[in-house]
Amino acid sequence: MMIRRHSRSAIFMHWFNAVCWLFLLFSGFALLVGDMQPIGQWWRNLWVALFGERGLLVAHLLVGSVWVAVYAIYILTSCRREVLPFLREILHFKPASDLVWCFRKGLWLVLGPKVMLKMGVDPKLPPQGFYNAGQRMVAVLAVAASIGLAITGVAMGYFSGNVSWALGENALLWCIVVHFACAGVMAIFLPVHIYMAALAPGEGPALRSMFTGFVPQSHAQHHNPLWFASLKAAGALGGETQEQHSNVAQKG
Amino acid sequence: MARYIMLINSEHCMDCKACVVACQQRNGVPYGFHRNWVHETKSQASACGFKFQPGACMHCEDPSCVAACPTGATWKARDGVVHIDRSRCIGCGSCIEACPYHARFRHPLTGTADKCDYCMGSTPGETPACVAVCPMHCRTFGDLDDPSSAVAKIAATHKLVHIVPKGSGARPTLAYLETTTPASLPAASTVSHPVEAIRPFSKVVTWVGGAVLAALAGTFVRQLVKPSEREDEEIAAQAKKTEAASARQEEDKA
């Protein structure tokens, strides 16, 4: 039995975001020079060889503008249906339980449950809701960084240069710093999200759900017991399943 | 490869400012802004009571403006000239703040940084406007590595003096002949706040990001070699075995 976990629009926005983020992060770092370059001069040379000096800045601006525009439309059209519930979900922190989850999950992956038992640490994870503690933390960081990147990016791209509404030099200087700080924080946390979502053991069904929208009931019961319990309590488990969904599609 | 420099005999300058006006005209510098200047210093040693010091971008070795630019829009070419690529400049003003000579300004029409480029942008290959118009021939421009050039000949026969703002550590290539007044400029910073904060933060991203990637790679390999899920199953099987054994023991006792 499969349960719907992600809507089609949420899946599209996730992958659209992923592609844009990776391009913007990689091309953005390639724009930096000297001591400000966090990867190395070879990285800049590689991107400049692909896009050219001016082309790199233009491509970064273009993709960034499309990213901001599509997100603005998504937020405006899906605010009540998807954006607000998502924000409510990721901001629902239980600090003590969340820290225990992160600590135990980390040890489980790095040392394994046998070593944990020898150390006297219980490998059992605290029950999680729709998102686990790690996903919620990264999501909050991603939302905050996205807001920072979008505002400062638009400021640098469209409120600078030879326009009458150009910002002052000091404001633009701070925009660069905030833009880099947001990108830097996400450069550190993004690989963690990619590993935990795509490569970590037991996450296969969750990764597939980011394509199909559906997750097996047993997986939800095991990984997201609080979400599963709330679905059960609301009587939503008999709702839209993948089987029913494909039947409807066939009839259509 | 050529090595372009400008030499100035400031003792000949009479402060006519023809160089300033010619530069503005050739490079389209708007009224109120200028790429070069003539500093005036009161002096008893001069018949008119003033000493004059023409100047412009010093095209420094290891320029602080280049280090301060986050997008690489300004750079020092191999021929010694410090350039600005307007298409890559976002007009943040970081280079303007970092120049200890205050040789840069934000062009009000382009919104980008602007400064002397020896007229290479406006009239490539031609003598810079300031050199061409000077009635006293104060300024000389050319390739220092070409022995037949005027600058090479002058440099070979004169003592070259550089003026450095106190505490800046600047290494200018523009030089004055024998003496110039003032001999140094007021203290100036080459640090551009807050862009300077990117440098240490960039190091943090490099090292922390690298450590995270290494830890993830290690965890990935560990999970390939010895999956935690298999350990979970083994622990569960062991627990079942122990449970069955204790149940059997209880049955035997009964």
Side-chain angles (χ1 to χ4, degrees):
Chain A
M1 177 80 87
M2 305 291 273
I3 310 170
R4 179 170 274 286
R5 186 168 165 80
H6 305 292
S7 68
R8 281 199 191 91
S9 52
I11 293 169
F12 171 77
M13 289 311 291
H14 174 267
W15 292 113
F16 170 75
N17 198 35
V19 171
C20 290
W21 260 86
L22 287 177
F23 180 83
L24 291 168
L25 191 65
F26 290 164
S27 60
F29 277 174
L31 285 169
L32 295 165
V33 291
D35 293 346
M36 296 179 211
Q37 169 57 251
I39 300 173
Q41 191 58 35
W42 67 271
W43 183 255
R44 179 176 165 76
N45 295 343
L46 180 75
W47 281 80
V48 168
L50 286 172
F51 289 90
E53 294 273 16
R54 179 171 158 72
L56 185 60
L57 186 61
V58 171
H60 187 77
L61 251 168
L62 204 70
V63 175
S65 302
V66 172
W67 176 68
V68 170
V70 171
Y71 251 92
I73 293 168
Y74 175 67
I75 290 167
L76 286 174
T77 55
S78 308
C79 188
R80 291 180 73 178
R81 201 176 67 245
E82 289 186 1
V83 179
L84 288 178
F86 168 76
L87 289 176
R88 257 197 301 273
E89 190 66 44
I90 63 167
L91 291 169
H92 186 67
F93 281 109
K94 286 171 282 173
S97 158
D98 289 348
L99 280 175
V100 169
W101 188 93
C102 289
F103 178 67
R104 287 184 185 173
K105 186 72 179 179
L107 285 183
W108 186 84
L109 284 166
V110 176
L111 301 176
K114 282 185 180 173
V115 177
M116 285 175 78
L117 284 173
K118 274 182 200 163
M119 288 165 63
V121 179
D122 184 359
K124 203 172 170 229
L125 297 170
Q128 298 297 301
F130 189 87
Y131 293 117
N132 63 44
Q135 285 171 325
R136 273 180 279 126
M137 282 182 202
V138 173
V140 168
L141 279 174
V143 169
S146 296
I147 293 169
L149 286 163
I151 292 172
T152 54
V154 167
M156 287 191 287
Y158 297 99
F159 290 82
S160 66
N162 58 342
V163 290
S164 56
W165 57 84
L167 293 172
E169 286 161 19
N170 224 20
L172 286 169
L173 283 172
W174 277 108
C175 281
I176 295 174
V177 178
V178 173
H179 202 77
F180 179 79
C182 292
V185 166
M186 286 320 294
I188 292 168
F189 282 96
L190 213 55
V192 180
H193 169 67
I194 292 170
Y195 172 77
M196 295 297 284
L199 300 170
E203 295 299 330
L207 176 64
R208 280 191 288 279
S209 78
M210 257 305 161
F211 293 97
T212 64
F214 291 91
V215 72
Q217 190 169 304
S218 57
H219 182 270
Q221 212 166 350
H222 180 68
H223 284 80
N224 313 90
L226 298 180
W227 174 53
F228 185 76
S230 69
L231 286 179
K232 207 172 177 182
L237 283 176
E240 191 189 14
T241 63
Q242 195 171 27
E243 288 86 348
Q244 286 167 343
H245 194 75
S246 45
N247 286 343
V248 170
Q250 276 169 4
K251 277 176 195 169
Chain B
M1 174 59 71
R3 186 156 54 108
Y4 292 113
I5 66 159
M6 184 174 282
L7 299 178
I8 298 176
N9 189 342
S10 59
E11 292 297 297
H12 285 184
C13 179
M14 59 177 190
D15 198 22
C16 68
K17 293 199 170 63
C19 53
V20 178
V21 176
C23 169
Q24 287 170 324
Q25 197 178 26
R26 190 184 287 187
N27 295 292
V29 179
Y31 183 75
F33 296 88
H34 48 85
R35 286 183 172 192
N36 58 5
W37 58 80
V38 180
H39 286 153
E40 298 164 9
T41 310
K42 278 185 182 171
S43 171
Q44 298 295 328
S46 169
C48 68
F50 286 96
K51 288 272 189 180
F52 306 113
Q53 186 181 68
C57 169
M58 300 282 163
H59 297 273
C60 301
E61 302 290 356
D62 195 15
S64 54
C65 55
V66 170
C69 177
T71 64
T74 189
W75 78 97
K76 188 169 174 70
R78 287 202 294 178
D79 61 9
V81 182
V82 176
H83 290 281
I84 297 171
D85 181 348
R86 284 182 182 168
S87 68
R88 287 160 60 199
C89 176
I90 60 168
C92 70
S94 182
C95 60
I96 297 170
E97 201 174 317
C99 175
Y101 294 97
H102 312 294
R104 290 172 171 247
F105 60 95
R106 194 176 175 190
H107 197 293
L109 297 180
T110 63
T112 56
D114 201 298
K115 66 159 198 87
C116 161
D117 62 352
Y118 293 137
C119 293
M120 286 183 179
S122 54
T123 49
E126 282 187 31
T127 306
C130 56
V131 177
V133 300
C134 182
M136 304 303 291
H137 304 292
C138 292
R139 297 176 186 247
T140 314
F141 171 78
D143 177 8
L144 191 62
D145 285 347
D146 175 6
S148 63
S149 71
V151 275
K153 285 175 186 164
I154 294 170
T157 52
H158 291 76
K159 181 185 149 200
L160 300 185
V161 176
H162 295 103
I163 52 163
V164 180
K166 282 170 195 142
S168 71
R171 292 193 291 136
T173 60
L174 186 147
Y176 295 90
L177 303 185
E178 305 298 342
T179 180
T180 187
T181 306
S184 70
L185 294 173
S189 169
T190 55
V191 176
S192 178
H193 301 288
V195 163
E196 204 60 29
I198 291 180
R199 285 180 219 286
F201 194 65
S202 181
K203 289 277 171 288
V204 171
V205 172
T206 304
W207 288 104
V208 177
V212 166
L213 282 178
L216 290 175
T219 308
F220 178 70
V221 172
R222 190 242 182 254
Q223 290 299 328
L224 275 183
V225 178
K226 205 176 169 192
S228 294
E229 279 186 320
R230 197 187 297 157
E231 283 188 29
D232 273 341
E233 286 164 11
E234 286 168 9
I235 292 166
Q238 187 64 39
K240 251 188 194 173
K241 251 188 215 172
T242 317
E243 215 173 279
S246 60
R248 222 177 296 131
Q249 267 180 355
E250 272 179 29
E251 271 175 28
D252 288 348
K253 273 182 198 171

